[in-house]
């Protein structure tokens, strides 16, 4: 372990994060389970990339089959990308019917920004002040983790993010209007500064904001403000997409909002690096007119085979219904724990946040201790939120009730073991 850490530092450079004080050296995965180099088994309650389960045999077989036949780029004709685009767009409403395939969520979000520029001819963008949309130069301007060198661009406005512990406007009921007011003020500033307003990028469940438990309809007032100003609604579905919400394929449909263009990523290829943008034809046409676009690896036959197999498995194994049922079971189980640190438990399908607070204030140190304690008990989770005080459980979609119960028991035990 120390040897691996030293090699990482020597070969990959400094400041490369690992999860956990005692990092896990994983060598094998199957379904919702991971095994470390010593043969110890961990329940994965964190990784949404392995959406249909680690190393799902159907996805593995599809990748191998296609890799043995052909893998080249989209300047040659191939049915793979067309068959996949047909299946993918069939899951979308709102006229979202055309696709660009890329390799990462960051690239997809970068395209969303350029689409909004192409449609509006403007360059001002808005996102929340507690988010992450990727790591290209452009989208890192919308991310709050590390301020860009020289500060945020003058064409970027970061509006107060929804929050469960300290809701905007003072209450959950006032929050939708208060959030929209923040967006309206930002639009006015961008127009005043001469950039104009191109688009508003958001995650439908506000995942990186800490899953603040907004309800369907939350974004209604904001959507109205954005539309009135002529900007685009850019939905980042990298986290909630592909049925994780349980009730809907896409987070924006769960939320009840109609975006102009959408980015997809993480779960799309079950670990194979494939991502996409789905847009209305008018938006796509404006983008292609302004920028053209070619991505060497995006949409190659192997990526399409992997992504297609993921759609097969979601359907064949009833994984959306499973997300709804087991997600509700997980929230119920954690909700029943009634520990004084638990200030709120909320879930959208198989995406669960547990807010830890002491005297109404974020319990950051305690959340860190719980994550470590669960790792010692063989359950992998993460944390999120402005103060990193919200436990994040986002397991692969095939998790069963009995496995969710293992996570709840480990959480109860971890909380009980905290110093009083
Ligand atoms: N959008 C969101 C909401 C994300 O959480 C992430 C990754 N954590 C990205 C975009 C970027 O995706 P990628 O790492 O594939 O570039």
């Amino acid at each position: 372990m120390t040897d691996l850490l030293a090699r990482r530092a020597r070969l990959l450079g400094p400041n490369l994060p690992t999860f956990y004080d005692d990092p896990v050296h994983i060598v094998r995965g199957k379904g919702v389970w991971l095994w470390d180099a010593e043969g110890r088994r961990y329940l994965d309650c964190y990784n949404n990339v392995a959406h249909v389960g680690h190393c799902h045999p159907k996805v593995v077989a599809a990748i191998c089959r296609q890799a043995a036949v052909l893998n080249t780029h989209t300047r040659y004709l191939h049915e793979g990308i067309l068959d996949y685009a047909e299946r993918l767009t069939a899951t979308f409403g709102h006229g979202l019917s055309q696709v660009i395939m890329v390799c990462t969520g960051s690239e997809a979000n970068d395209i969303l920004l350029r689409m909004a520029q192409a449609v509006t001819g403007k360059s001002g963008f808005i996102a929340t002040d507690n988010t992450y949309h990727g790591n290209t130069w452009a989208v890192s301007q919308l991310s709050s983790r590390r301020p860009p060198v020289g500060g945020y661009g003058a064409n970027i406005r970061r509006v107060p993010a929804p929050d469960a512990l300290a809701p905007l406007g003072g209450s959950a009921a006032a929050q939708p209007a208060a959030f929209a007011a923040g967006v309206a003020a930002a639009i006015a500033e961008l127009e005043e500064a001469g950039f104009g307003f191109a688009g508003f990028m958001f995650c439908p469940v506000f995942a990186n904001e800490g899953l603040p438990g907004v309800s369907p309809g939350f974004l209604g007032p904001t959507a109205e403000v954005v539309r009135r100003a002529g900007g685009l609604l850019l939905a980042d579905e990298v986290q909630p997409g592909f049925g994780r919400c349980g009730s809907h394929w896409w987070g924006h449909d769960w939320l009840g909002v109609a975006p102009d263009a959408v980015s997809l990523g993480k779960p799309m290829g079950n670990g194979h690096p494939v991502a996409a943008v789905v847009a209305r034809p008018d938006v796509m046409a404006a983008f292609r007119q302004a920028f053209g676009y070619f991505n060497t690896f995006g949409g190659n036959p192997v990526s399409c085979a992997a992504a297609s197999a993921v759609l097969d498995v979601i359907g064949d194994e009833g994984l959306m219904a499973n997300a709804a049922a087991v997600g509700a079971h997980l929230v119920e189980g954690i909700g029943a724990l009634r520990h004084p640190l638990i200030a709120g438990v909320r879930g959208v399908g198989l995406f669960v946040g547990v807010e830890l607070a002491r005297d109404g204030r974020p319990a950051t140190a305690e959340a860190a201790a719980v994550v470590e304690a669960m790792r010692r008990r063989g359950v992998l989770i993460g944390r999120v939120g402005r103060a990193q005080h919200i436990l994040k459980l986002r397991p692969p979609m095939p998790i069963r009730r009995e496995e969710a119960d293992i996570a709840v028991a480990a959480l109860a035990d971890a909380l009980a073991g905290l110093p009083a």
Side-chain angles (χ1 to χ4, degrees):
M1 180 75 70
T2 3
D3 187 39
L4 282 184
L5 284 169
R7 280 179 73 200
R8 268 168 67 101
R10 178 162 50 81
L11 294 166
L12 308 180
N15 242 336
L16 190 65
T18 50
F19 285 151
Y20 310 111
D21 292 344
D22 179 15
V24 191
H25 177 195
I26 296 171
V27 295
R28 188 163 67 86
K30 187 169 193 293
V32 293
W33 295 96
L34 293 166
W35 283 264
D36 73 10
E38 271 86 51
R40 175 157 190 220
R41 189 171 83 145
Y42 296 85
L43 177 64
D44 183 359
C45 283
Y46 182 79
N47 288 291
N48 62 331
V49 171
H51 192 59
V52 300
H54 289 278
C55 306
H56 194 290
K58 285 195 178 153
V59 182
V60 172
I63 291 172
C64 294
R65 219 171 19 244
Q66 186 57 49
V69 176
L70 174 75
N71 200 23
T72 185
H73 57 77
T74 53
R75 280 179 170 146
Y76 302 104
L77 303 181
H78 196 270
E79 290 83 359
I81 189 168
L82 305 177
D83 293 345
Y84 181 70
E86 256 163 20
R87 295 183 69 187
L88 180 69
T89 54
T91 65
F92 280 89
H94 321 295
L96 297 162
S97 63
Q98 293 186 340
V99 182
I100 298 179
M101 289 182 72
V102 295
C103 310
T104 66
S106 300
E107 283 179 297
N109 281 335
D110 204 280
I111 289 173
L112 291 190
L113 299 182
R114 294 209 280 167
M115 283 180 160
Q117 289 181 339
V119 169
T120 63
K122 310 282 171 55
S123 59
F125 288 100
I126 299 172
T128 81
D129 65 354
N130 180 24
T131 196
Y132 178 78
H133 290 292
N135 57 19
T136 69
W137 184 84
V139 291
S140 63
Q141 288 278 323
L142 300 178
S143 296
S144 45
R145 303 276 158 86
R146 299 253 165 115
V149 171
Y152 289 95
N155 64 327
I156 303 297
R157 289 291 182 284
R158 298 156 68 243
V159 297
D163 194 292
L165 212 50
L168 305 173
S171 71
Q175 192 156 234
F179 185 71
V183 172
I187 292 171
E189 283 176 26
L190 288 169
E191 282 171 350
E192 172 74 24
F195 298 105
F197 173 48
F200 164 61
M201 183 171 285
F202 63 99
C203 165
V205 300
F206 297 94
N208 290 321
E209 286 82 350
L211 201 75
V214 303
S215 303
F218 170 82
L219 214 57
T222 301
E224 225 178 278
V225 164
V226 169
R227 294 257 178 262
R228 221 180 304 128
L232 265 60
L233 285 162
L234 308 170
D236 179 339
E237 290 277 0
V238 165
Q239 296 219 29
F242 291 95
R244 178 160 295 275
C245 296
S247 55
H248 296 81
W249 266 98
W250 306 108
H252 61 267
D253 283 323
W254 167 80
L255 188 60
V257 75
D260 298 285
V262 174
S263 61
L264 319 176
K266 288 178 183 283
M268 186 168 168
N270 214 47
H272 183 89
V274 54
V277 167
V278 183
R280 283 201 318 269
D282 58 308
V283 174
M284 187 67 81
F287 172 73
R288 287 263 166 69
Q289 175 75 23
F291 299 106
Y293 192 78
F294 172 68
N295 186 309
T296 300
F297 298 118
N300 69 67
V302 173
S303 294
C304 292
S308 215
V310 168
L311 295 185
D312 288 340
V313 177
I314 294 172
D316 293 351
E317 297 185 8
L319 293 183
M320 276 175 64
N322 191 64
V326 180
H329 181 73
L330 192 53
V331 167
E332 198 182 311
I334 297 172
L337 293 183
R338 311 223 168 282
H339 188 277
L341 276 177
I342 298 181
V345 184
R346 50 216 183 227
V348 186
L350 268 177
F351 207 144
V352 176
V354 185
E355 184 137 26
L356 300 189
R358 205 184 270 285
D359 306 324
R361 304 180 66 82
T364 305
E366 291 87 343
V370 168
V371 169
E372 297 294 335
M374 289 190 68
R375 176 248 188 272
R376 288 194 296 276
R377 286 163 177 77
V379 179
L380 304 182
I381 67 166
R383 60 194 170 111
V384 70
R386 214 184 281 278
Q388 293 285 296
H389 65 294
I390 300 163
L391 306 177
K392 176 162 89 169
L393 287 83
R394 197 190 44 180
M397 296 274 279
I399 190 169
R400 293 176 304 171
R401 278 168 194 265
E402 312 84 89
E403 290 156 343
D405 291 341
I406 293 173
V408 174
L411 177 57
D413 203 33
L415 284 164
L418 286 181

